[in-house]
């Protein structure tokens, strides 16, 4: 498995979990949760390979997202 494939896997896993957390915490539908994730600055930071946010746990990244969405 290449480094790029590993990064993509980790990012996708975090996005899946962020979406799940939003659906549960905010009682919103899947489409709205995905929209919130993909339009967030947190998602942009997650995509920044040099920043390394993709190596953090989904719950940590979710805390950042919650702070951003307040």
């Amino acid at each position: 498995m290449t480094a790029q494939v590993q990064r993509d896997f980790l990012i996708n896993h975090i996005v899946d979990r962020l979406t799940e957390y939003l659906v549960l915490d905010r009682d919103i539908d899947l489409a709205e949760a995905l929209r919130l994730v993909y339009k967030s600055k947190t998602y942009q930071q997650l995509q920044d390979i040099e920043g390394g946010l993709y190596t953090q746990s989904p719950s940590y990244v979710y805390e950042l997202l919650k702070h951003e969405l307040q």
Side-chain angles (χ1 to χ4, degrees), residues 2-18:
T2 68
Q4 179 63 43
V5 171
Q6 289 175 338
R7 282 191 299 267
D8 290 346
F9 176 81
L10 291 171
I11 291 169
N12 289 333
H13 172 70
I14 292 172
V15 167
D16 288 348
R17 295 304 303 264
L18 295 177

Side-chain angles (χ1 to χ4, degrees), residues 14-31:
I14 292 172
V15 167
D16 288 348
R17 295 304 303 264
L18 295 177
T19 304
E20 179 183 348
Y21 294 153
L22 284 172
V23 167
L24 294 173
D25 288 351
R26 293 185 171 220
D27 194 29
I28 58 177
D29 65 22
L30 182 62

Side-chain angles (χ1 to χ4, degrees), residues 1-69:
M1 189 180 281
T2 68
Q4 179 63 43
V5 171
Q6 289 175 338
R7 282 191 299 267
D8 290 346
F9 176 81
L10 291 171
I11 291 169
N12 289 333
H13 172 70
I14 292 172
V15 167
D16 288 348
R17 295 304 303 264
L18 295 177
T19 304
E20 179 183 348
Y21 294 153
L22 284 172
V23 167
L24 294 173
D25 288 351
R26 293 185 171 220
D27 194 29
I28 58 177
D29 65 22
L30 182 62
E32 178 64 12
L34 285 168
R35 187 188 68 74
L36 287 172
V37 170
Y38 284 121
K39 291 191 174 235
S40 70
K41 290 181 183 176
T42 302
Y43 179 73
Q44 291 173 6
Q45 292 172 339
L46 198 56
Q47 295 287 344
D48 178 16
I49 302 309
E50 292 180 19
L53 186 59
Y54 69 93
T55 65
Q56 301 299 317
S57 71
S59 58
Y60 174 79
V61 179
Y62 184 58
E63 290 301 317
L64 296 175
L65 180 62
K66 282 195 319 187
H67 181 71
E68 176 185 343
L69 295 176

